[in-house]
Amino acid sequence: MNIVVQNIERADPAVIAGLAECGVATVHEAQGRKGLLASYMRPIYSGAQVAASAVTILAPPADNWMLHVAIEQVKPGDVLVLATTSPSDAGYFGDLLATSAKARGGVGLVIDAGVRDVKTLTEMGFPVWSKAVCAQGTVKETLGSVNVPVVCAGASINPGDVIVADDDGVCVVRREEAAEVLRKAQDRLSKEEEKRARLAAGELGLDIYGMRGTLAAKGLKYV
Amino acid sequence: MNIVVQNIERADPAVIAGLAECGVATVHEAQGRKGLLASYMRPIYSGAQVAASAVTILAPPADNWMLHVAIEQVKPGDVLVLATTSPSDAGYFGDLLATSAKARGGVGLVIDAGVRDVKTLTEMGFPVWSKAVCAQGTVKETLGSVNVPVVCAGASINPGDVIVADDDGVCVVRREEAAEVLRKAQDRLSKEEEKRARLAAGELGLDIYGMRGTLAAKGLKYV
Amino acid sequence: MNIVVQNIERADPAVIAGLAECGVATVHEAQGRKGLLASYMRPIYSGAQVAASAVTILAPPADNWMLHVAIEQVKPGDVLVLATTSPSDAGYFGDLLATSAKARGGVGLVIDAGVRDVKTLTEMGFPVWSKAVCAQGTVKETLGSVNVPVVCAGASINPGDVIVADDDGVCVVRREEAAEVLRKAQDRLSKEEEKRARLAAGELGLDIYGMRGTLAAKGLKYV
Amino acid sequence: MNIVVQNIERADPAVIAGLAECGVATVHEAQGRKGLLASYMRPIYSGAQVAASAVTILAPPADNWMLHVAIEQVKPGDVLVLATTSPSDAGYFGDLLATSAKARGGVGLVIDAGVRDVKTLTEMGFPVWSKAVCAQGTVKETLGSVNVPVVCAGASINPGDVIVADDDGVCVVRREEAAEVLRKAQDRLSKEEEKRARLAAGELGLDIYGMRGTLAAKGLKYV
Amino acid sequence: MNIVVQNIERADPAVIAGLAECGVATVHEAQGRKGLLASYMRPIYSGAQVAASAVTILAPPADNWMLHVAIEQVKPGDVLVLATTSPSDAGYFGDLLATSAKARGGVGLVIDAGVRDVKTLTEMGFPVWSKAVCAQGTVKETLGSVNVPVVCAGASINPGDVIVADDDGVCVVRREEAAEVLRKAQDRLSKEEEKRARLAAGELGLDIYGMRGTLAAKGLKYV
Amino acid sequence: MNIVVQNIERADPAVIAGLAECGVATVHEAQGRKGLLASYMRPIYSGAQVAASAVTILAPPADNWMLHVAIEQVKPGDVLVLATTSPSDAGYFGDLLATSAKARGGVGLVIDAGVRDVKTLTEMGFPVWSKAVCAQGTVKETLGSVNVPVVCAGASINPGDVIVADDDGVCVVRREEAAEVLRKAQDRLSKEEEKRARLAAGELGLDIYGMRGTLAAKGLKYV
């Protein structure tokens, strides 16, 4: 049963923009330390930091047909998220598909497989988080699905969920929880400011967080 | 039986130069999606793009003696290609060997093992594609061979074959097929230009490639 | 038995500074090719080159409590070295801890686990060599120890040992051997200068090192 | 938010028993080639073949507290399914926990982490499918959850889903689809009987499945 | 260009039978320590020891169509050897294909990918050496080739080469060299008998092989 | 500096025998959850359970010369423990070396590399815990050391330390602590007997260990 779900709901663009500013580590903490993709997902270049609505793809190994199908479903501000039915490091995506995705308003790709033309993608400023960089070509023979729930790099992702990605990796935020997570993330950031200042001044986390008593109670000995 | 084959044939320098311009992904596609080395072979710095004739080395684990032997066989425009008889991530190659290889006209190294002094190699502009960056020293105790057929990172490579390498990885083109592959690669590139323009204008791959009928025939449902 | 050893001995700062200039590959060779950490330990950004005294940490998986404890033990010129009791790629360390470590004079982190906030750490110029980049949060529930001998990424490290780290990876030098290793490393570097010049002029390692006789004696055949 | 969901729905025991007889490969095919856990999940001994209702556990790395909590929720015919919040290979489960799980009617464990006491577990006939065999001890410090949806070894599993496991690995069947999947699996098995007989008699799949025309049409050449 | 080569040459059956008796480690040594496949290739059950002529298959990832094609080319005493164009751990082969291969006289499978139905294959006594055990289903959509040279698990294998496989792994012997390798292997075995007796009697390898002088000359110190 | 230390101290044979009976998981717990080797160290056959004094070997990659040297140092009840200076999966050890080691009273091998002839070793009842099974041959060219401190599979091991190994893996106990660890391990085992009986009777760990209060205090909710 291979389907393309055409009209998915997305989170509020203002919320998405806010999450982008918070970054992966803060968002991940703010939502209770869940939603992180496996650490093998690495950006093809440093410095990109995005948040975007997921257009999900479930694709066969080394078959990128569904990427062509998915690009039609991309709306401005979306990110493509590709999971495979069986592990693959083939190069599903290159500069032509990036040109097409960008023309539709796509802002990036998260792929539990390989990507190629990374030099051109870098020049285009089209960020990709992937398991591998690999030039291996793919076929267009077997169907998959678009905008169905997927497990990508160990995380469960629904279409329309918010993907936050930067140099630390990739995190998913449930669409329904995005506003609440943003609030908590911003709260966290504001509190970090004060702590950063105190730590920069040489104060110790042991004192700021009041850890000395608990450490002693657990039995830590200084010798 | 350890041998050094001294006079190998090389492809036409103009063909090699043409392949360098095409890059790994295009060349790999143009020759029927074969010849790619495993995706764990990564460049030590971004941006290098070369094509060169392979001087092949079969070396014992953590023993770089044959690299010294191989450098004598390097002619201007050659790339060293090292495979091991048993897996190793030791640092076979550093700035002294790079200085020597460069002095002979060598343009890079592809090594299914480790490399070191990568900061200096980067400053020298001597590109290396390797399985690992590792400072572990090597010995000079056991013979190997130079300019024999090897399997390097999963690809079969003969001396004199053309190696194409860039940020996407490494591909080998048989010497005898190099001119034909170049023709197909250039043909492919020129066709991509037109497609890129149409995709950039917002046209969909689904339409450009006429995929809608086949997708429907295979049973893809839009919901 | 969880302990914090408070007053560790350190090597002579001048010796440490000298080792930093030599770099990992040279220092590793100079001390007889020992002390290298596993090659999966990679820097979060290119170009950093440090030598520093190790403040060691043995920490539970995904629990960064002991990092707070360790920072109090940091003196100017120290590097934090974290090993785990069981493998983990969680993000033990981010920009707040780096701010704190830096305020105490810490010059970097070597961690057989994950690190996060790498964009900010890079901007701060606080170098980290790690097994993973990962935003996964950690807890503060279980004790470990500080300044005890640890095995980190396959190398045995004692508190106060000198850590040398650069783009090639990480190497440990025993505190007691640091001065002697520096002497040998500097000797090695000065000898390399002459070799580099001869190799750059096109002379072969085969001749400089007088290898031809040995190769023939071992049975290498030129064909 | 750490919770224990106490009353989960389970599939019909007769359906579960039927799925056990079909085995992983057949069940996986019958439900459209989905639901398979990653191939690194291996049985601690050969020959076990079970189907059971999942009592799911989301646990911190190297912390097995939630296993004690989960065992109270086990009903006869259940299997424990443990996912971690961050990768771990620690030994969460051994012969004491197996004794307890067995006393409650539990029939096995699927764990995306490590298991220990495997010799005793084998003697007890308590099957485990795990990522690792590892004696590393765990703590009881940090909460997780029981009977919440988890991603285990790359597969999304809900409490009460049917787990099918044998020497080929582990597959999950949605509780709601179990009866339908069983019907298709049994249908598939009955059809395989006839094919097996024909293949055993020397007939070729090429002829039984009528592949020769399609192969020729796709361009396969016999030389 | 997808082809099936129909009439391949095979080595002398008596030579093949002789190689089976020698086993992988001896054969590998006898031919100069070459031809070994990567050590991740493991048997699905212990104790099998075969030598057979390779019917080679180059297959796309997760597509087992070419196995059906290859089985028609199997003659009594052959082993199927499958390499992929891109890495895969999918379950290409199960009990139906084994039934068919066995009916044609096939004696085993070497596959740089996954296998399933391993319990039944074990009961059938049909040995498989594979990279993975995995129930993941495959498609029949994309052509590959049969009886072309392949690189399988890092070893170059030609159709008709002799595959030797046992609990130690898999080794390939060139068809043209098989008789010579057998002679050397048998010679090696007969010499080992005498050594084994002396070692069993407590004599040391140091003395039998006369190593003490060389060790001292290289600088080994007893303290 | 390559040395062979000839007279090492060993633990009391009665203590060693006691530790063997306790097994890896219990001993590891009894000494405070330390000393475990990485979980990739697996036995070549199931069921072996040994404790023995370590004769340590530091060897170059794919060079087994030092094994011959080490066997002379083996006394009845010793186990060989081999670490490498750089990672290798080559087959350092086979049936001839096992025959020799057994003749000297050796009871097994722990090797952070490869082993071969595993069928024969199994028949001989000579247990090996290794990183790989691999037939790849080794050379005898480069010195290493015997009975020096080594890091093997992530654990620091001194000559004469007690190695405990079974189906759960391998653990090291410091020679000086062996008697104390045995006492604690036996104590632990006797306490487990009572717990096992209560758990087998259906009592819950939650009650036996009095966990309900702590769980509630930490915030676990039952829903």
Side-chain angles (χ1 to χ4, degrees), chain F residues 125-180:
Chain F
F126 191 90
V128 178
W129 288 260
S130 70
K131 182 170 74 171
V133 172
C134 180
Q136 179 70 42
T138 53
V139 296
K140 289 161 189 52
E141 297 279 6
T142 309
L143 296 184
S145 290
V146 172
N147 280 333
V148 295
V150 296
V151 173
C152 181
S156 170
I157 301 177
N158 297 323
D161 281 348
V162 183
I163 300 296
V164 186
D166 62 20
D167 291 352
D168 286 346
V170 185
C171 186
V172 59
V173 179
R174 293 276 166 264
R175 182 178 55 77
E176 303 81 357
E177 304 174 1
E180 172 71 5

Side-chain angles (χ1 to χ4, degrees), chain A residues 115-126:
Chain A
V115 60
R116 63 186 189 180
D117 299 330
V118 296
K119 194 176 183 177
T120 308
L121 296 179
T122 302
E123 289 161 4
M124 289 172 65
F126 192 90

Side-chain angles (χ1 to χ4, degrees), chain A residues 1-7 44 65-66 68-73 89 95-97 99-101 103-104 115-120 122 132-146, chain B residues 24-26 28-29 33-34 36-40 42 46-49 166-169 188 192-193 195-197 199-207 209 211-212 214-215 218-223:
Chain A
M1 254 235 330
N2 301 102
I3 60 170
V4 181
V5 178
Q6 286 178 287
N7 295 303
I44 58 167
W65 210 4
M66 286 303 112
H68 288 275
V69 173
I71 284 174
E72 190 177 25
Q73 306 305 321
D89 72 353
D95 68 336
L96 287 183
L97 279 166
T99 300
S100 183
R104 309 288 291 187
V115 60
R116 63 186 189 180
D117 299 330
V118 296
K119 194 176 183 177
T120 308
T122 302
V133 171
C134 181
Q136 179 69 40
T138 53
V139 296
K140 289 161 190 50
E141 296 279 5
T142 309
L143 296 185
S145 289
V146 172
Chain B
V24 170
T26 298
H28 160 71
E29 288 284 346
R33 295 185 177 159
K34 65 180 191 192
L36 209 64
L37 278 67
S39 64
Y40 62 70
R42 302 301 303 140
S46 295
Q49 183 164 331
D166 62 21
D167 290 352
D168 286 345
R188 195 176 166 89
E192 280 185 359
E193 274 315 299
K195 282 181 206 161
R196 187 175 289 106
L199 292 166
E203 223 178 321
L204 287 168
L206 289 178
D207 298 312
Y209 305 107
M211 291 170 172
R212 293 189 194 274
T214 337
L215 287 165
K218 286 250 186 180
L220 188 67
K221 300 283 175 232
Y222 284 79
V223 298

Side-chain angles (χ1 to χ4, degrees), chain B residues 32-142:
Chain B
R33 295 185 177 159
K34 65 180 191 192
L36 209 64
L37 278 67
S39 64
Y40 62 70
M41 297 294 285
R42 302 301 303 140
I44 58 168
Y45 58 86
S46 295
Q49 183 164 331
V50 307
S53 300
V55 168
T56 64
I57 306 161
L58 185 62
D63 189 316
N64 77 345
W65 210 4
M66 286 303 113
L67 266 164
H68 289 274
V69 174
I71 284 173
E72 189 177 26
Q73 306 305 321
V74 168
K75 291 202 181 341
D78 285 353
V79 60
L80 294 159
V81 175
L82 186 146
T84 64
T85 54
S86 172
S88 174
D89 72 353
Y92 284 69
F93 188 92
D95 68 335
L96 286 183
L97 278 166
T99 299
S100 182
K102 202 172 179 177
R104 309 289 291 188
V107 299
L109 168 70
V110 170
I111 179 165
D112 195 0
V115 61
R116 65 186 188 180
D117 299 330
V118 296
K119 194 176 184 176
T120 308
L121 296 180
T122 302
E123 289 161 3
M124 291 171 65
F126 192 89
V128 178
W129 288 259
S130 71
K131 183 169 75 171
V133 172
C134 180
Q136 179 70 42
T138 54
V139 296
K140 289 163 189 51
E141 296 278 7
T142 309

Side-chain angles (χ1 to χ4, degrees), chain A residues 164-184:
Chain A
V164 186
D166 62 20
D167 290 352
D168 285 346
V170 185
C171 186
V172 59
V173 178
R174 292 278 167 262
R175 182 178 55 77
E176 303 81 358
E177 303 174 2
E180 172 71 6
V181 170
L182 174 59
R183 204 182 50 68
K184 287 183 182 165

